[in-house]
């Protein structure tokens, strides 16, 4: 910085403070095409440069990055303060991307997404061997969702698939406003798309259904789409997340089994004791094994964070 020279008795002008290090775009008026186009162009430039952006979805605000750029995905994880053991799901603009990104997708899964997409449903499938995405420790799976938010889908049509997680620091509440996301993520994000306050699901994340072990699906996380709604399309779906007041009624998975089942789960401390309750205390959620014989758990397990 150049030194400022002043005459005796002269008061130097104050330095201009640095900007916030990010740019915020008002996208609340969907009829303002000029503003929307400007915001979308800025978001594309940031994504092309490998920088994360924040965007609204139908559930909570999400932090997104180019799903095909491993460095960009790592910046997303760094911004949230978490590692590769919890890979983000991928948002897509249209269901036809499922067959391009995943393999062995059962008909039941496609029927479900045809009925409930766009919407707050994430499906976990076996990732294609040709998938050129490094999302973290995925164990050969990929989570996919088409969000029910027109601005976000419009951006996805321009950018292609994006790795997106909830726009919050790990362990903190999900962001329902752009201000919430800025307060938590700040300069770790290049562009914030302000879509106003999100109230569609009252902060509930997407419901997570795994199709990697059973063609009829396994519910890994309850969310905005209810069990009753899922059962209309998947009458034999297996609910792995139940509300149990007493663990004696349904033996819980051990910590080791939890870690083995789902790479989307954060790392847990090694322990041989049963995980009586994920969050502790009465009325919390436990994971119950299915009745009768089942395949040894090796697929993703419940994702307890409030992700998109």
């Amino acid at each position: 910085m150049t030194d400022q020279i002043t005459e005796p008795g002269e008061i130097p002008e104050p330095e201009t403070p640095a900007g916030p290090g990010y740019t915020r775009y008002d996208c609340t008026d969907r009829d303002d095409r000029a503003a929307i186009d400007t915001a979308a162009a800025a978001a594309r430039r940031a994504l092309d440069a490998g920088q994360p952006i924040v965007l609204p979805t139908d559930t909570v605000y999400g932090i997104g990055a180019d799903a095909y750029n491993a460095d960009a995905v790592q910046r997303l994880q760094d911004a949230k303060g978490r590692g590769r053991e919890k890979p983000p799901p991928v948002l897509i603009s249209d269901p036809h991307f499922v067959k391009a990104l995943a393999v062995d997708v059962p008909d039941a899964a496609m029927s479900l997404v045809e009925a409930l997409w766009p919407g707050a449903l994430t499906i976990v499938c076996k990732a294609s061997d040709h998938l050129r995405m490094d999302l973290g420790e995925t164990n050969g799976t990929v989570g996919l969702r088409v969000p029910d938010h027109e601005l976000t889908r419009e951006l996805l049509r321009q950018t292609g698939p994006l790795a997106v997680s909830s726009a919050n620091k790990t362990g903190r509440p999900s962001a329902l406003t752009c201000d919430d996301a800025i307060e938590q993520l700040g300069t770790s994000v290049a562009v914030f798309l302000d879509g106003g306050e999100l109230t569609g699901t009252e902060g509930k994340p997407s419901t997570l259904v795994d199709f990697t072990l059973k063609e009829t699906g396994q519910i890994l996380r309850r969310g905005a789409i209810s069990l009753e709604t899922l059962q209309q399309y998947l009458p034999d779906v297996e609910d792995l997340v139940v509300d149990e007041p007493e663990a004696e009624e349904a033996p819980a998975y051990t910590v080791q089994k939890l870690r083995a089942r789902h790479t989307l789960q954060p790392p847990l401390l090694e322990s041989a004791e049963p995980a009586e309750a994920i969050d502790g205390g009465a009325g919390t959620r436990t994971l119950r094994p299915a009745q009768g014989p089942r395949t040894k758990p090796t697929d993703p397990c419940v994702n307890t964070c409030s992700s998109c």
Side-chain angles (χ1 to χ4, degrees):
M1 182 178 65
T2 304
D3 292 337
Q4 185 175 7
I5 301 176
T6 59
E7 298 294 333
E10 180 183 355
I11 300 176
E13 295 183 3
E15 295 183 5
T16 302
Y22 59 83
T23 307
R24 176 177 183 163
Y25 293 87
D26 186 354
C27 303
T28 54
D29 185 357
R30 294 293 297 137
D31 294 327
D32 189 346
R33 287 306 315 174
I36 298 299
D37 291 344
T38 298
R44 291 198 309 272
R45 288 193 299 270
L47 292 167
D48 289 343
Q51 298 300 317
I53 67 169
V54 160
L55 67 167
T57 75
D58 49 339
T59 55
V60 299
Y61 273 85
I63 176 173
D66 181 356
Y68 294 98
N69 185 331
D71 290 337
V73 174
Q74 187 58 54
R75 292 188 186 100
L76 179 158
Q77 301 286 55
D78 292 343
K80 287 180 62 69
R82 72 184 190 192
R84 290 172 55 83
E85 74 284 343
K86 195 175 179 67
V90 175
L91 295 193
I92 53 180
S93 61
D94 189 90
H96 79 263
F97 279 101
V98 172
K99 292 297 182 69
L101 303 177
V103 294
D104 299 332
V105 182
D107 292 339
M110 294 307 300
S111 298
L112 184 67
V113 301
E114 288 172 4
L116 299 181
W117 278 358
L121 168 72
T122 299
I123 63 170
V124 178
C125 302
K126 296 177 182 177
S128 169
D129 292 337
H130 305 292
L131 188 61
R132 294 175 291 105
M133 293 181 185
D134 184 2
L135 303 171
E137 299 171 8
T138 63
N139 197 29
T141 67
V142 61
L144 301 170
R145 184 164 93 86
V146 175
D148 190 13
H149 196 288
E150 181 54 39
L151 171 64
T152 301
R153 290 203 309 278
E154 180 177 339
L155 180 62
L156 288 167
R157 285 190 286 269
Q158 299 177 33
T159 64
L162 295 179
V164 178
S165 184
S166 53
N168 59 289
K169 290 287 189 181
T170 298
R172 295 189 58 185
S174 299
L176 298 182
T177 68
C178 191
D179 286 335
D180 292 341
I182 291 175
E183 187 272 327
Q184 295 194 53
L185 301 179
T187 57
S188 61
V189 173
V191 169
F192 288 82
L193 303 183
D194 186 354
E197 183 176 6
L198 304 180
T199 58
T201 66
E202 299 180 343
K204 293 181 181 179
S206 63
T207 299
L208 190 65
V209 182
D210 180 8
F211 289 96
T212 62
L213 280 186
K214 298 183 67 174
E215 292 188 354
T216 52
Q218 295 174 298
I219 301 173
L220 304 182
R221 179 183 66 198
R222 291 187 186 180
I225 295 179
S226 68
L227 173 62
E228 292 73 23
T229 298
L230 285 177
Q231 289 175 330
Q232 293 179 24
Y233 306 98
L234 298 174
D236 297 322
V237 67
E238 180 183 1
D239 188 5
L240 298 182
V241 184
V242 295
D243 298 314
E244 290 285 356
E246 295 181 0
E248 290 77 6
E249 297 180 10
Y253 285 122
T254 64
V255 172
Q256 290 87 343
K257 289 182 179 179
L258 280 171
R259 296 182 66 190
R261 278 193 53 81
H262 198 355
T263 55
L264 296 182
Q265 177 75 7
L268 300 175
L269 294 177
E270 293 287 350
S271 173
E273 297 297 323
E276 294 184 356
I278 294 297
D279 298 317
T284 55
R285 304 192 306 181
T286 62
L287 297 185
R288 181 175 61 190
Q291 299 297 322
R294 60 178 290 130
T295 307
K296 180 181 178 181
T298 55
D299 69 318
C301 185
V302 64
N303 180 2
T304 56
C305 78
S306 298
S307 65
C308 294

